[in-house]
């Protein structure tokens, strides 16, 4: 493998960097400077933290899932209830920070990409709250899969642009958002929804979502008097996982486990398990791990969850995987559906399909680790948006386990 | 023939150079070569051959769609460069490759960047343009290019700071690419007013040629830019002609642009 330029302060190890058209470099410099100034400004932090609490519903609960624990037959399982945060996912932390930053930079227009729609909804929410214009790019296929979120965004005044280029999913929504940004960078902030993209986005988004791990740490110390033995989170771009992991990176006793979407299986060619099945490359402005062919052409991906359906991963995750500090597993569509049903039936919680991927691997881990251990699953979002899609898929695939249709009749 | 040299020679004739972009493999490999040869017959002084990439961030819908068609045929970057080899043997103007960094970085070889540079040189190309590689991330690529005798072209933008423009000028050897507008490639009816001020900011820093592209569509645009820049770059409009009417249409369209360039009063 070729060596690229020596690592510098825009990188995590050899990952990260700024591989974008020159038109964006000025905006990235401005953003880097503004982010640094804002985070050092007590007034900015007070406003952000105040809104997190009174508007966003933080801290979110840490819930001991006794029936899930009993089902697993091992470690005590906790759920970090990001599904209870305003807009129904962990995404609000990031958009609140970036929205306030955009306002501070005098940019009246926000653009965003969205896969499952959770980030789009969060961006539309913050745009409404702060009085900013909002345009959300969403793959045409994802608009279909996540219709409820399209309606939510429109209700809050956002314009949703269905993306018909390329594979019509999250990757192409990002391409279109980047093109919009190249064109309108003077008055527009691109509110990237995960720990991906060119520097400073991976660092900035991480710093806005790391509150998840900080809360987990405080809550675990309070209820267990100890750190968790493992923190498990799903990974698409990787924002909820980075948010949950970051606080524990310097705590070697805490296993950090990311779960990617294996779709039909990592060997099937129809998945989006980037770390499990990808190679190093440059995508969306950063050097990271990418699902691509031998020529560097980015490959179409598949997942039952629109939010994980992305052929890249945040550069810091690539680095955590490379250094071995975090472990990355993959769960198939079938396992995600199993996790989805388990949370519904055992805990009365309908999870988003994204964190549903983390459930089955976490149960396996809980069994391995034994009764004295504790495992926290970051339940990154709620599943109202997925109910239609799950119902559709289960009807197609549940014939073997379904009750027989009523006999007789007319 | 070197790019900078060719532009200087054309400028010595009292006019700006006309630079035409067309992608390899569109609408198919043989026709793409024929289209590029037609562009040269029509009056192109320099050719940018696009090597298609799945996620062309800097390109608008016309070029992206053409790239998708080419990729749909299953052509690899090596196939594209093989065509470039046949092309450069058939034309008497320099050609450069335009593609994205990930394609260069994955070229088949022990050291991929070296292998890509080697293949470009082997194909008779004079240099490369990689629009998602800003000058400060391109230190390695500049070294590799220099070692293979390839020229480098980096982009400046109306939003670039003076400091960044200085870096781009330093790293560019073939010419300095001034993007006329904020935005991606595409056909536009009117020309941005931001091109000239950008060229004016670059001029005092260098004697290297400065060429203007992005959104240059009509002969009148070419004429206007030729009045203050050393070269005029046209992409999407010619790609559109290639898709609609093949080599004949390309030749006709480029001839119109070439007339525009020749009409310009050089400042």
């Amino acid at each position: 493998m070729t060596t690229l330029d020596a690592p510098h302060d825009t990188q995590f190890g050899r990952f990260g960097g700024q591989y974008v058209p020159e038109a964006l470099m000025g905006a990235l410099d401005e953003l880097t400077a503004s982010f640094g100034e804002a985070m050092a400004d007590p007034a900015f932090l007070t406003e952000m933290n105040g809104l997190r609490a009174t508007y966003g519903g933080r801290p979110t609960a840490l819930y001991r899932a006794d029936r899930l624990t009993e089902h697993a037959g091992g470690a005590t399982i906790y759920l970090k209830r990001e599904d209870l945060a305003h807009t129904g996912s962990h995404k609000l932390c990031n958009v609140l920070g970036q929205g306030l930053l955009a306002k501070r930079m005098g940019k009246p227009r926000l653009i965003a990409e969205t896969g499952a729609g959770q980030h789009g909804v969060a961006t539309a929410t913050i745009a409404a709250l702060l009085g900013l214009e909002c345009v959300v790019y969403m793959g045409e296929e994802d608009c279909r899969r996540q219709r409820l979120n399209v309606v939510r965004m429109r209700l809050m005044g956002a314009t949703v642009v269905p993306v018909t280029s390329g594979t019509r999913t999250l990757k192409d929504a990002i391409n279109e958002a980047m093109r919009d940004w190249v064109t309108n960078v003077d008055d527009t902030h691109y509110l990237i929804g995960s720990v991906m993209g060119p520097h400073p986005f991976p660092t900035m988004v991480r710093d806005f979502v790391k509150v998840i791990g900080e809360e987990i740490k405080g809550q675990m110390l309070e209820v267990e008097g100890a750190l968790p033995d493992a923190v498990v989170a799903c990974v698409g771009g990787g924002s909820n996982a980075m948010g949950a992991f970051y606080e524990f990176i310097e705590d070697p006793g805490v296993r950090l486990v990311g779960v990617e979407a294996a779709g039909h299986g990592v060997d099937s060619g129809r998945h989006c398990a980037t770390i499990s099945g990808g190679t190093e490359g440059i995508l969306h402005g950063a050097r990271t791990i990418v699902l691509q062919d031998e020529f560097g052409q980015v490959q179409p991906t598949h997942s039952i969850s629109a939010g994980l359906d992305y052929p890249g991963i945040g550069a810091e995750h690539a680095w955590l995987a490379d250094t071995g500090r975090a472990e990355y597993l993959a769960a198939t569509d079938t396992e995600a559906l199993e996790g989805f049903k388990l949370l519904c039936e055992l805990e009365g919680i309908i999870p988003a399909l994204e964190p549903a991927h983390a459930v089955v691997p976490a149960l396996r881990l809980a069994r391995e680790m034994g009764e004295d251990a504790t495992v926290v699953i970051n339940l990154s979002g709620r599943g109202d948006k997925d109910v239609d899609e799950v119902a559709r898929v289960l009807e197609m695939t549940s014939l073997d386990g379904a009750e027989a249709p009523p006999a007789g009749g007319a | 023939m070197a790019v900078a040299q060719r532009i200087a020679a054309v400028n010595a004739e009292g006019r700006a150079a006309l630079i035409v972009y067309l992608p390899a493999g569109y609408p198919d490999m043989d026709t793409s070569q024929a289209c590029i040869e037609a562009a040269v017959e029509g009056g192109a002084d320099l050719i940018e051959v696009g090597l298609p990439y799945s996620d062309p961030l800097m390109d608008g819908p016309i070029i992206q769609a053409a790239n998708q068609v080419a990729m749909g045929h299953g052509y690899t970057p090596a196939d594209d460069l093989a065509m470039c080899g046949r092309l450069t043997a058939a034309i008497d103007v320099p050609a450069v490759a335009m593609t994205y960094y990930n394609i260069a970085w994955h070229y088949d070889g022990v050291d991929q960047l070296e292998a890509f540079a080697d293949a470009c040189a082997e194909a008779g190309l004079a240099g490369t343009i990689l629009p998602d590689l800003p000058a400060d991330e391109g230190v390695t690529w500049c070294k590799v290019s220099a070692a293979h005798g390839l020229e480098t072209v980096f982009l400046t933008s109306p939003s670039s700071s003076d400091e960044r423009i200085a870096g781009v000028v330093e790293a560019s050897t073939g010419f300095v690419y001034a993007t006329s507008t904020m935005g991606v490639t595409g056909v536009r009816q009117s020309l941005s007013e931001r091109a000239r001020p950008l060229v004016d900011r670059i001029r005092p820093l260098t004697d290297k040629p400065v060429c203007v592209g992005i959104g240059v569509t009509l002969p009148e645009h070419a004429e206007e830019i030729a009045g203050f820049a050393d070269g005029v770059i046209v992409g999407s409009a010619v790609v559109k002609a290639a898709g609609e009417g093949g080599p004949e249409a390309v030749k006709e369209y480029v001839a119109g642009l070439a007339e525009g360039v020749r009409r310009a009063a050089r400042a």
Side-chain angles (χ1 to χ4, degrees):
Chain A
M1 180 58 70
T2 283
T3 41
L4 295 190
D5 294 340
H8 37 78
D9 61 5
T10 67
Q11 295 185 250
F12 307 95
R14 66 181 183 279
F15 300 102
Q18 297 177 309
Y19 298 91
V20 292
E22 174 64 26
L24 295 180
M25 293 303 288
L28 294 178
D29 287 348
E30 181 192 10
L31 187 59
T32 304
S34 300
F35 171 60
E37 286 161 17
M39 295 304 271
D41 178 355
F44 178 84
L45 296 175
T46 300
E47 185 177 13
M48 182 175 77
N49 291 331
L51 284 172
R52 274 180 177 178
T54 60
Y55 184 75
R58 300 209 75 88
T60 59
L62 183 76
Y63 161 70
R64 198 179 70 194
D66 288 341
R67 293 197 71 205
L68 202 60
T69 299
E70 191 185 342
H71 177 82
T76 302
I77 296 169
Y78 285 86
L79 301 176
K80 177 61 172 167
R81 298 292 308 275
E82 292 299 300
D83 59 318
L84 297 179
H86 181 42
T87 74
S89 79
H90 72 289
K91 296 286 188 185
L92 197 79
C93 301
N94 173 38
V95 298
L96 189 52
Q98 287 197 55
L100 289 170
L101 200 55
K103 199 155 187 181
R104 193 182 162 98
M105 290 189 294
K107 308 253 183 187
R109 180 172 179 266
L110 299 178
I111 56 172
E113 83 293 341
T114 198
Q118 296 298 75
H119 174 58
V121 166
T123 306
T125 302
I126 223 65
L129 178 72
L130 300 178
L132 303 172
E133 188 192 342
C134 180
V135 176
V136 178
Y137 290 91
M138 186 169 187
E140 195 179 46
E141 165 69 6
D142 294 338
C143 289
R144 181 194 66 75
R145 287 195 282 188
Q146 312 276 248
R147 198 185 61 86
L148 175 65
N149 275 343
V150 174
V151 175
R152 292 168 79 198
M153 286 184 266
R154 289 188 172 146
L155 285 173
M156 290 183 284
T159 303
V160 180
V161 181
V163 173
T164 55
S165 60
T167 58
R168 304 176 183 219
T169 57
L170 180 55
K171 163 181 92 96
D172 303 284
I174 295 172
N175 289 341
E176 289 303 330
M178 286 259 184
R179 290 180 180 122
D180 181 319
W181 202 31
V182 170
T183 308
N184 300 298
V185 68
D186 292 345
D187 72 347
T188 299
H189 174 64
Y190 179 13
L191 209 161
I192 290 185
S194 193
V195 288
M196 35 118 344
H199 176 79
F201 283 101
T203 305
M204 182 174 69
V205 175
R206 176 200 75 202
D207 285 356
F208 287 142
V209 294
K210 69 180 184 184
V211 63
I212 300 170
E214 290 165 357
E215 288 177 9
I216 292 173
K217 184 177 261 188
Q219 289 163 328
M220 283 299 286
L221 287 172
E222 197 179 315
V223 297
E224 289 279 344
L227 298 182
D229 294 293
V231 177
V232 186
C234 67
V235 180
S239 71
N240 92 83
M242 191 51 65
F245 291 175
Y246 190 66
E247 179 67 15
F248 298 104
I249 288 177
E250 303 297 327
D251 297 312
V254 182
R255 283 176 71 175
L256 304 176
V257 182
V259 181
E260 299 187 307
H264 294 234
V266 174
D267 297 329
S268 70
R270 298 201 66 213
H271 66 90
C272 50
T274 308
I275 288 180
S276 302
T279 52
E280 284 185 46
I282 292 159
L283 179 64
H284 295 141
R287 178 179 181 174
T288 184
I289 301 174
V290 180
L291 291 173
Q292 58 194 333
D293 68 14
E294 61 191 298
F295 308 111
Q297 306 287 11
V298 179
Q299 292 300 286
T301 52
H302 164 80
S303 171
I304 192 171
S305 69
L308 303 182
D309 200 353
Y310 179 60
I313 190 163
E316 195 166 9
H317 281 295
W319 179 70
L320 288 177
D322 198 49
T323 57
R325 177 60 191 95
E327 309 156 53
Y328 294 85
L329 314 171
T332 61
D333 286 352
T334 309
E335 288 170 314
L337 283 170
E338 190 186 336
F340 183 95
K341 284 162 69 179
L342 282 172
L343 275 188
C344 289
E345 290 165 11
L346 293 177
E347 297 291 352
I349 295 171
I350 301 177
L353 278 171
E354 287 78 17
H357 282 76
V359 174
V360 167
L363 297 187
R364 243 179 252 138
L365 193 68
R367 266 177 225 123
E368 277 168 36
M369 294 180 85
E371 286 183 9
D372 295 338
T374 55
V375 171
V376 176
I377 301 173
N378 192 29
L379 185 55
S380 60
R382 70 170 187 235
D384 311 38
K385 69 185 176 65
D386 292 315
V387 167
D388 283 349
E389 184 72 358
V390 169
R392 189 180 73 83
V393 174
L394 287 183
E395 272 175 20
M396 283 167 56
T397 60
S398 66
L399 293 176
D400 51 345
E403 292 151 19
Chain B
M1 194 191 313
V3 170
Q5 206 183 341
R6 171 74 184 189
I7 295 172
V10 171
N11 291 163
E13 292 172 15
R15 64 177 179 88
L18 176 62
I19 303 170
V20 170
Y21 167 96
L22 280 165
Y26 176 74
D28 59 63
M29 198 61 88
D30 288 343
T31 311
S32 69
Q33 185 179 338
C35 285
I36 296 170
E37 290 179 16
V40 175
E41 286 167 31
D45 300 299
L46 185 74
I47 296 295
E48 288 178 15
V49 184
L51 310 185
Y53 172 56
S54 57
D55 295 80
L57 273 186
M58 192 63 201
D59 288 305
I62 293 173
I63 291 179
Q64 186 178 20
N67 281 354
Q68 290 285 340
V69 168
M71 289 176 59
H73 294 307
Y75 302 134
T76 67
D79 295 331
D80 299 335
L81 288 178
M83 187 279 284
C84 289
R86 297 189 291 275
L87 173 75
T88 55
I91 60 177
D92 61 357
V93 306
V96 299
M98 171 132 177
T99 189
Y100 288 79
Y101 201 29
N102 207 41
I103 294 297
W105 196 32
H106 284 83
Y107 206 78
D108 187 25
V110 176
D111 183 313
Q112 290 95 328
L113 286 184
E114 287 279 347
F116 181 68
D118 199 43
C120 286
E122 186 73 18
L125 294 169
T128 60
I129 304 174
L130 304 170
D132 63 339
L133 183 68
D136 35 8
E137 296 279 12
V139 178
T140 303
W141 179 239
C142 286
K143 282 185 200 153
V144 172
S145 291
H148 287 83
L150 294 175
E151 290 169 285
T152 49
V153 174
F154 288 95
L155 277 62
T156 57
S157 156
S159 67
S160 300
S161 64
D162 291 343
E163 191 187 353
R164 293 201 57 84
I165 289 178
V168 169
V169 164
E170 176 72 27
S172 300
T173 57
F175 62 86
V176 179
Y177 194 133
T179 56
S180 73
T181 180
M182 301 303 290
V184 298
T185 61
V187 166
R188 292 174 180 80
Q189 290 312 307
S190 61
L191 195 59
S192 163
E193 288 169 5
R194 299 176 86 166
R196 187 166 196 143
L198 177 58
V199 173
D200 288 344
R201 289 170 65 202
I202 299 169
R203 288 287 186 209
L205 302 176
T206 182
D207 293 331
K208 291 171 186 173
V210 181
C211 302
V212 172
I214 305 293
V216 185
T217 304
L218 302 169
E220 300 85 75
H221 301 162
E223 179 181 350
E224 188 180 335
I225 289 169
F228 61 85
D230 300 316
V232 181
I233 306 163
V234 186
S236 296
V238 185
V239 176
K240 190 161 174 273
E244 288 169 359
E248 281 305 309
V250 168
K251 186 175 171 182
E252 191 183 329
Y253 200 86
V254 172
L257 295 167
E259 273 175 38
V261 167
R262 281 166 176 80
R263 272 199 305 271
R266 292 274 291 163

